[in-house]
Amino acid sequence: GERGGAVTALALQLLPVMLAVTALTTKGEASTSVAPSLFVAQSLLQRLGAAFVRPVVYWFFHSQRLFGWAYVLPILLVKRPLRTLLGLAAYGAIHRQRWWQVAIHKLLGYGASRRHKVVSPSRYLIDDNKRYLVCLHPHSILADGWHSLTARAIDSFEDGGNGPPGLGRKVALCFAPVIQHVPVHQEMYRDKCGAADKASLVKWWKTPDTDPALIPGGFAEAVFANAGDKKHEYSYIKDRKGFVRICLEERKDIMPCYTFKSSWMYWNPGILKGLRARISQKLSISLVAIIGRFGTFMPLRDDTTTVVFPPFEVCRYTVDQLDEAHSAYLDHLKHYFDFYKTEYGMGETELVFVGADFQDDDPVARALRRIGILSDQVTKKKRPRKK
């Protein structure tokens, strides 16, 4: 609403101040033997920053990565059209400059939670001399745990870096071409982001050291993310085989990464999930209601863990064995989800594979079906896959 837009506008006006404080409070500590007064001053500034600035940057990070700026932009265009247009022009001129990207990335990293973590218990199974397709699961609202990990690792997507934490290799995020110009996202991913079609994936495999990463569940899977449902974890890849087909054709194995509890970071209404998922995929935008702490974009929780699962050997299959390879990948994903879920806080949750035939059975769907507005998607609701 207008009040939320005013808060976002104020935060944008305070951006230079937050950048300055971030630069001061993230520098290395001064030596007490050389300049004790400077050490005391910087220590005090760090404490004040942690108490008063970091919470604001934390809110700023989550609200802007979830496109909070898109809510305030129409209000600013109406109330202050000239200044807003000048601001957009200025951003367009500098947003691809490295100094700007690094400064904003440091600011985002200063505010990002330290509770997100990544582990790679099967690191010894990953061949450093092989190229992989990195598959991120689940989509959650918007790769929520992944964003915080990336924000804290400033050099993740630098040419001289070593990729995101825990992966041990450079990756490029294959989401959508426009992501290179979307605020917050382009500052973190720099030039290593783009489309998710086959040509884009193959382009990264042709580089000396950068593997493509994508989220197979896509926009539709985001609809199923809901902190209110702790019994089920939905993966919208039951009938999605394109990413497996590409790996079969290019002879590349898959490195699955699963972020536990990322689907519980926001409350999202559980009504008409199947219908919203199908529409979301057609529109290329997730039809979700993002409700966090106090009704804001601040997450309800941020204690996620990204686990790098053992690679799935696509190359064991031939190109004409797409169905077998896809089915085996689902089994692989479910097996390791079940293996790690208790350790990472989802012990009572069942991983369920769903697709375009998902039938809504919530009260709203049943009411719409009774009056003839909503028709059955399938004749019988299918059982979840079993290992």
Side-chain angles (χ1 to χ4, degrees):
E2 188 169 332
R3 182 177 298 177
V7 174
T8 303
L10 177 61
L12 293 174
Q13 291 176 353
L14 292 175
L15 182 60
V17 177
M18 291 191 289
L19 285 169
V21 173
T22 301
L24 289 172
T25 57
T26 56
K27 288 184 177 180
E29 292 185 349
S31 172
T32 55
S33 60
V34 176
S37 58
L38 179 60
F39 173 82
V40 171
Q42 186 171 338
S43 178
L44 177 61
L45 187 59
Q46 288 174 343
R47 290 174 178 272
L48 291 172
F52 298 104
V53 180
R54 269 203 71 221
V56 177
V57 181
Y58 179 84
W59 167 82
F60 179 81
F61 167 58
H62 284 291
S63 64
Q64 302 314 309
R65 77 176 183 83
L66 292 172
F67 308 107
W69 52 268
Y71 295 87
V72 69
L73 189 58
I75 298 173
L76 293 177
L77 283 171
V78 170
K79 291 197 168 185
R80 297 179 179 178
L82 181 58
R83 291 178 62 178
T84 302
L85 290 173
L86 289 174
L88 290 173
Y91 181 76
I94 66 173
H95 78 295
R96 299 299 295 167
Q97 299 295 317
R98 187 178 178 279
W99 63 267
W100 168 264
Q101 293 174 326
V102 171
I104 296 297
H105 199 160
K106 287 182 177 179
L107 172 68
L108 301 174
Y110 177 66
S113 172
R114 272 60 176 164
R115 286 179 286 273
H116 298 278
K117 61 181 180 178
V118 58
V119 296
S120 185
S122 304
R123 178 68 182 85
Y124 65 96
L125 295 174
I126 299 173
D127 188 343
D128 291 335
N129 297 315
K130 287 183 67 173
R131 308 300 294 275
Y132 296 92
L133 173 63
V134 179
C135 286
L136 308 178
H137 303 275
H139 188 286
S140 56
I141 293 296
L142 190 61
D144 300 309
W146 179 267
H147 281 167
S148 292
L149 291 169
T150 302
R152 283 171 21 216
I154 305 300
D155 63 346
S156 290
F157 293 89
E158 290 280 9
D159 290 335
N162 195 34
L167 293 189
R169 62 181 55 229
K170 297 178 183 178
V171 300
L173 277 297
C174 297
F175 295 162
V178 72
I179 206 73
Q180 286 194 350
H181 304 284
V182 176
V184 173
H185 298 271
Q186 72 90 18
E187 278 87 0
M188 291 194 294
Y189 302 134
R190 318 282 210 285
D191 296 321
K192 289 185 170 60
C193 56
D197 59 289
K198 180 180 178 180
S200 299
L201 269 61
V202 171
K203 178 190 74 171
W204 292 111
W205 279 322
K206 289 181 178 179
T207 63
D209 55 5
T210 302
D211 285 338
L214 55 75
I215 305 179
F219 296 108
E221 191 170 272
V223 172
F224 289 84
N226 182 10
D229 184 359
K230 300 293 196 300
K231 293 182 179 180
H232 306 100
E233 176 88 333
Y234 294 98
S235 180
Y236 201 86
I237 60 173
K238 189 179 77 170
D239 45 20
R240 291 201 167 176
K241 303 177 183 179
F243 68 104
V244 179
R245 180 186 292 110
I246 293 171
C247 288
L248 284 170
E249 293 171 350
E250 298 300 318
R251 312 312 295 163
K252 297 292 187 294
D253 290 341
I254 296 175
M255 185 191 300
C257 299
Y258 207 100
T259 302
F260 288 86
K261 294 192 285 190
S262 65
S263 295
W264 298 353
M265 289 177 64
Y266 296 94
W267 187 80
N268 173 35
I271 60 172
L272 301 175
K273 294 192 294 285
L275 177 62
R276 287 191 289 138
R278 292 186 287 275
I279 296 175
S280 294
Q281 201 55 39
K282 290 181 179 180
L283 298 179
S284 294
I285 186 172
S286 298
L287 298 181
V288 296
I290 307 170
I291 304 174
R293 192 180 304 172
F294 311 121
T296 70
F297 286 145
M298 289 193 297
L300 300 171
R301 63 190 308 159
D302 54 20
D303 55 338
T304 68
T305 302
T306 298
V307 182
V308 183
F309 289 172
F312 174 72
E313 297 178 274
V314 179
C315 295
R316 289 188 300 157
Y317 302 87
T318 60
V319 175
D320 59 354
Q321 291 181 301
L322 174 61
D323 291 341
E324 294 92 330
H326 177 259
S327 178
Y329 180 73
L330 300 191
D331 289 338
H332 182 86
L333 194 67
K334 181 168 176 57
H335 172 76
Y336 285 102
F337 175 87
D338 290 341
F339 186 82
Y340 288 110
K341 67 181 183 179
T342 299
E343 183 177 358
Y344 297 112
M346 299 184 72
E348 302 300 318
T349 305
E350 180 185 10
L351 179 62
V352 181
F353 295 106
V354 296
D357 62 352
F358 181 87
Q359 177 168 296
D360 292 307
D361 196 33
D362 57 85
V364 174
R366 292 196 296 270
L368 293 178
R369 199 171 287 118
R370 280 197 297 270
I371 62 178
I373 294 179
L374 185 67
S375 60
D376 287 347
Q377 184 65 17
V378 292
T379 57
K380 183 178 180 181
K381 193 171 182 179
K382 295 189 177 181
R383 294 179 180 272
R385 291 178 54 92
K386 298 291 185 181
K387 171 67 181 166

